Amino acid sequence: MHVSDLPVSAAVREHYRASGIEELYPPQAAAVDAGITDGENVVAAIPTASGKTLIAELAMLTADGPALYAVPLRALAREKYESFAALPGVSVGISTGDFDSPAEELGGEDIVVATAEKVDSAIRNGASWIEDLACVVVDEVHLLGQERRGPTLEVTLATLQRRAPGVQIVALSATVDNPADIASWLDAALVESTWRPVSLRTGVYDGKDVSFDDGSTLDVDVGDVGSNADRDTEATAELVADAIDSGGQCLAFVRSRSEAESLAVRLSEEDFGIDESAATDLAARIREVDGTSTGRRLAAAAESGVAFHHAGLVSEHRALVERGFRERELGVLCATPTLAAGVNVPARRVVVRDLERYTGEEMSNLPVLEVHQMCGRAGRPHLDPYGEAVLIGEPHTAEELWDRYVDAGPEAVESQLTAREALRTHVLSVVASGFADSTASVLDLLDATFFAHQSPDVDLSGVVDSVTEELGEMELLAVDGEATGDSGDPSATSLAATDLGETVSRQYIRPETGARLIAGIRTIRTMPEEHVTPLTALGVVCATPDMRGTYLGNRERADIYRYASRHAAEFTTAPDEADDFEAWLCAVKLARLVFEWGEGATIEDLVDRFRVGPGDVESHVERTVWLLGAGDALATTLGSDVGVFDRVRETLGESMSDEVERRPR
Ligand code: ADP
C-alpha cells in the first residue's frame, strides 16, 4: 500500500514522503485493511520500530472529531507531541501534570497527548471534552498487566467507552502472549505481526562465545578475570567495543542505577574512537545543567562517548543523553531496564548484562516481556543493516537463559484490578464522579473492565463490599443499607461519596493517602500553634503512600532518628505510634530533604547528604507540592483553618521556579 492511497490530506501525504515514508510497512497496511481509517477499533500487537506512530496518526487524522493519545510516561508524551505537532494542519495539545483539574483548555485541539493518569484525573474532575472524543489511541496497552498502572488504564478505558459511546479505540501493544484477549475486550480487530523493518538476531553468551538464534556465533575473548561478575562486565565491554568498531552503537542494560554508573565508568576507560569534538560539546552541555556529583560523573563519561541513563538523573540530563545517543555523539548507553519501556533510542547492538533484579526481598528473573522489549531496541531503521541482542550468561546459566528468553514467548497480559488498593481507589472514583450510586452500579461498571472479560466467572461482590466498608471507615464513602454478601441484593446498598471522598477523588490521591492527610490535619488542630511548622506539614505528606519511598543507609539511620527526636514536637506522629518504624524514619528523611530544599539547599548538597539522585530530589519536591495541595484542599473540606499546607506549598513553588539558578555549575 502506497502513501498516495491514504485518505489523508495532500499536505499530510507530502509530509510522510518528506520523512522517507512511501510504502506502508506490512503491519501498517494490515491496520488500514482492518479499518483503522474507517473508525474501526483496532489492537496492533507488533514489535518496536514497526511503525506504530503512523498507525496512530492515520486513525487520529481520519477520525470524525478530536482524538486523544494516551501514554504511560511523561517523557513519551513529549516525544509523541513533537511528532504529531509536525503534521501539517493539525492542532495538538499536551497535558501531563496538574492532577486536580479537568484540563478544559484541551477541548479545542485536534489531538491531545496525555498520560493515562492525567486522563483519569480529568474524567474525575468532570472534563467535558472527553465526551466529544472521536478516537482514543492507547500506547503500550500491555501495561494493563502492570500492578501500578494497569488498573487505572483498564478502568479509564472502560469509562471512556461509556462516556463517549462509539469512540474509536486503537490500542498499541508490544508482542504479548494474548493480544486476542485485549482485542476481544475492546471489541477490536487484531493486527498481530512479528515483522520488523530491520532484522534482529538474539544470542546468549556462555562465558566463551555468543550463539545466535540464526545459527551464527561470535567469539568473545575476555582473558583472565577474577570473578563471574567481572567476566560479565568484561564480556559486555568487548561486545560494546566490537559494535562501535563496526560502525554501530550499543545499549547495555544492567540491574540498578549504581551498576549503570559503574559500568559507564569502566567503559569510559576504553578508546572507542568517538568524534571527540562532539563528545566534548555534549559533556559541556551536561555540565551546564548542573554540577552535582552525578552530573560531573555523567559529563566525564560523555567525554569518552559513554553515558548512563536511569531514574536518578534530572530530566534535562536524561533528555540530553537520549538526544546525544540518537545523534551519535555517544557510542554506548548504560541503562536500567526502564529505558526499554520509555523513549525511542534504538542501537545496533543491545547487551543485557543483568537478567536478574533485586525485588526488595530477593533476586528474581526479569520478565520475558521486559527482556524482549530491551532486545527489540536493537537495529536502527534506515541506519543499521541488522540488529543484534546479546544476553550475558555463564557456562551453567546459558542454556536456561536460552530456554526462558530466546525460545519462549512473552507472558500473557493479566488484569491486576483485584489488587485491593486498586479497587479501593477506583470504587471511590466511580462513585465520586457520579458514575455509580450503589454496589450494583459499581459492579456493573466493573463488568466492562478487562478483569471481568478475562475472568467472567469471578464474583466481585464480596470484595467490593469489603472495599466499600473500608472506604466508609475512612469517612470517604457513605454506605447505606445492608452489605450484600454472597447472596444479598447489591442494589439495596446505596453509595455516595462524602465531601471528603469527593476531594480525595478530585485531588487524585489514593484513599489511604486521603485518610492519612485527614488524620494529620486533625492532629495539627490539637497542636500548640508554635509547634506547627513547615516540617509538620511535610511530615504528614511524606508519610502517605502516594509519596514514593526512599531508602535509609545504615549510617544515616541514627542521624535521621536524632533529627526526628530534636523536632519531635513538630511531627504529628511519635516514633512509638508508627505502625512501621522504618517507613516512619524514611518519611522523616524525605520531609527533612524537602524542607532543606525549600530553605535553599543546593541539589549538590542534598544529593551528597541524603544519598539520592538529583532526579529524586526533583521528583520528591514535585510530589510533595501535589500532596500539599491535596492536604490544603482536605483542610478546607474539613472547614479547618489549618493553613500550613498551603504556606509550605507556596514556598516550595517559588523555590521550584528558581531551581535552575540554584543548581551548582
Ligand atoms: P514504533 O512506535 O512502532 O516503535 P515508529 O512509529 O517510531 O515505531 O517508527 C520507527 C521508524 O520507522 C520511524 O523513524 C519512522 O519514521 C519509520 N517509519 C515508519 N513507517 C515507515 C514506512 N512505512 N516507511 C519507512 N519508514 C517508516
Side-chain angles (χ1 to χ4, degrees):
M1 190 176 290
H2 200 265
V3 163
S4 54
D5 300 327
L6 295 173
V8 290
S9 71
V12 170
R13 288 200 288 263
E14 194 39 48
H15 165 79
Y16 286 142
R17 274 192 214 102
S19 33
I21 304 179
E22 295 275 353
E23 265 315 302
L24 261 54
Y25 286 159
Q28 296 168 336
V32 173
D33 288 341
I36 198 98
T37 56
D38 301 320
E40 299 293 335
N41 292 351
V42 173
V43 169
I46 56 180
T48 315
S50 56
K52 293 192 200 86
T53 313
L54 181 79
I55 295 180
E57 288 174 359
L58 291 180
M60 298 191 294
L61 290 169
T62 55
D64 221 3
L68 167 69
Y69 190 98
V71 291
L73 300 169
R74 272 204 244 174
L76 281 174
R78 177 56 48 189
E79 190 176 296
K80 294 298 170 189
Y81 171 81
E82 279 163 17
S83 148
F84 304 150
L87 292 166
V90 178
S91 70
V92 188
I94 180 167
S95 182
T96 56
D98 291 342
F99 284 144
D100 57 348
S101 91
E104 292 295 0
E105 69 282 2
L106 297 173
E109 310 287 1
D110 298 325
I111 296 178
V112 170
V113 183
T115 54
E117 275 77 18
K118 176 66 210 181
V119 178
D120 184 23
S121 72
I123 291 176
R124 290 191 202 184
N125 283 283
S128 58
W129 55 274
I130 296 285
E131 279 154 34
D132 302 328
L133 290 173
C135 174
V136 173
V137 181
V138 186
D139 199 1
E140 316 264 344
V141 77
H142 53 269
L143 293 177
L144 278 171
Q146 206 197 52
E147 209 176 316
R148 204 157 53 82
R149 297 209 159 87
T152 301
L153 190 55
E154 63 175 294
V155 172
T156 305
L157 267 171
T159 316
L160 273 170
Q161 279 180 306
R162 278 194 187 221
R163 293 287 306 275
V167 64
Q168 177 185 21
I169 305 271
V170 175
L172 308 173
S173 171
T175 38
V176 292
D177 190 49
N178 59 339
D181 262 5
I182 304 176
S184 66
W185 169 50
L186 294 171
D187 198 15
L190 174 63
V191 173
E192 191 180 6
S193 167
T194 52
W195 182 89
R196 290 174 43 99
V198 186
S199 67
L200 169 68
R201 54 179 187 159
T202 307
V204 176
Y205 172 72
D206 64 3
K208 246 179 88 211
D209 49 25
V210 182
S211 313
F212 285 101
D213 55 358
D214 64 357
S216 60
T217 56
L218 179 68
D219 193 29
V220 183
D221 183 12
V222 297
D224 278 341
V225 285
S227 67
N228 285 343
D230 291 345
R231 183 173 45 221
D232 294 352
T233 297
E234 290 315 306
T236 304
E238 282 290 313
L239 286 161
V240 169
D242 178 59
I244 297 175
D245 262 359
S246 65
Q249 289 170 288
C250 199
L251 284 176
F253 287 104
V254 291
R255 76 175 79 93
S256 66
R257 296 174 178 190
S258 60
E259 291 293 338
E261 295 198 18
S262 50
L263 180 62
V265 170
R266 161 67 192 86
L267 293 177
S268 41
E269 291 162 8
E270 303 276 322
D271 179 9
F272 291 128
I274 289 291
D275 174 351
E276 268 182 37
S277 74
T280 309
D281 189 45
L282 176 63
R285 276 177 281 143
I286 291 172
R287 281 196 191 95
E288 230 169 76
V289 173
D290 78 31
T292 59
S293 49
T294 311
R296 288 200 304 271
R297 280 198 298 277
L298 185 61
E303 300 268 9
S304 321
V306 180
F308 49 88
H309 186 290
H310 57 63
L313 295 184
V314 288
S315 43
E316 278 168 273
H317 273 156
R318 275 193 303 242
L320 273 176
V321 166
E322 287 155 14
R323 196 169 319 123
F325 192 73
R326 275 197 289 265
E327 287 170 12
R328 307 182 72 116
E329 294 161 342
L330 293 166
V332 52
L333 207 53
C334 307
T336 50
T338 43
L339 181 70
V343 289
N344 193 13
V345 275
R348 181 172 302 175
R349 183 175 282 168
V350 168
V351 179
V352 188
R353 195 197 67 182
D354 301 338
L355 288 129
E356 290 187 329
R357 176 173 43 209
Y358 187 64
T359 57
E361 279 157 17
E362 53 180 5
M363 293 298 275
S364 70
N365 296 318
L366 294 186
V368 182
L369 179 59
E370 209 170 310
V371 173
H372 283 191
Q373 282 203 296
M374 295 181 209
C375 296
R377 296 277 168 196
R380 290 179 72 154
H382 310 301
L383 272 177
D384 293 326
Y386 56 85
E388 269 178 356
V390 179
L391 313 181
I392 301 290
E394 285 156 23
H396 66 285
T397 61
E399 202 175 316
E400 195 188 322
L401 291 183
W402 187 276
D403 290 347
R404 177 173 303 124
Y405 296 115
V406 186
D407 274 349
E411 296 86 359
V413 175
E414 287 183 29
S415 169
Q416 304 294 319
L417 185 64
T418 48
R420 215 178 176 77
E421 272 185 22
L423 264 185
R424 235 184 261 137
T425 298
H426 293 291
V427 167
L428 176 63
S429 128
V430 294
V431 176
S433 331
F435 300 138
D437 59 5
S438 66
T439 305
S441 46
V442 167
L443 288 169
D444 189 40
L445 275 172
L446 292 179
D447 213 34
T449 59
F450 186 49
F451 174 80
H453 185 78
Q454 281 196 310
S455 320
D457 300 329
V458 175
D459 179 7
L460 285 177
S461 57
V463 54
V464 167
D465 272 344
S466 70
V467 163
T468 49
E469 197 182 313
E470 286 161 5
L471 289 167
E473 284 161 11
M474 292 175 175
E475 301 172 56
L476 304 180
L477 218 53
V479 186
D480 197 12
E482 292 296 304
T484 55
D486 286 339
S487 55
D489 171 12
S491 54
T493 313
S494 77
L495 303 173
T498 60
D499 289 346
L500 288 170
E502 272 191 25
T503 306
V504 164
S505 175
R506 281 174 178 268
Q507 294 293 321
Y508 206 64
I509 54 178
R510 292 191 220 178
E512 305 86 276
T513 293
R516 280 180 185 249
L517 291 176
I518 293 165
I521 294 162
R522 289 187 172 140
T523 309
I524 292 175
R525 274 169 161 177
T526 65
M527 288 165 62
E529 212 173 302
E530 65 276 18
H531 290 169
V532 180
T533 66
L535 209 48
T536 313
L538 292 171
V540 172
V541 301
C542 289
T544 62
D546 272 310
M547 192 73 198
R548 300 245 169 87
T550 182
Y551 302 97
L552 277 180
N554 276 332
R555 266 177 297 156
E556 61 184 344
R557 196 168 276 117
D559 180 43
I560 297 288
Y561 187 71
R562 270 195 302 277
Y563 180 83
S565 309
R566 227 173 24 248
H567 293 275
E570 294 164 71
F571 287 112
T572 56
T573 317
D576 56 348
E577 289 165 10
D579 315 331
D580 176 344
F581 181 65
E582 186 75 10
W584 179 84
L585 272 185
C586 282
V588 172
K589 168 176 168 172
L590 282 176
R592 180 182 185 185
L593 184 158
V594 178
F595 175 72
E596 294 189 8
W597 160 261
E599 293 288 291
T602 62
I603 293 202
E604 174 155 64
D605 185 27
L606 297 174
V607 164
D608 288 346
R609 287 191 24 242
F610 292 94
R611 306 177 68 78
V612 292
D616 297 316
V617 176
E618 197 175 58
S619 67
H620 289 323
V621 172
E622 205 180 280
R623 284 192 162 258
T624 307
V625 169
W626 160 47
L627 294 169
L628 286 166
D632 186 57
L634 282 168
T636 307
T637 309
L638 283 166
S640 96
D641 57 357
V642 170
V644 66
F645 292 94
D646 196 40
R647 286 199 299 278
V648 183
R649 189 168 71 133
E650 267 187 21
T651 324
L652 287 180
E654 282 160 19
S655 306
M656 280 165 92
S657 54
D658 66 30
E659 171 193 356
V660 177
E661 279 82 69
R662 267 203 287 145
R663 286 198 189 147
R665 299 278 156 132

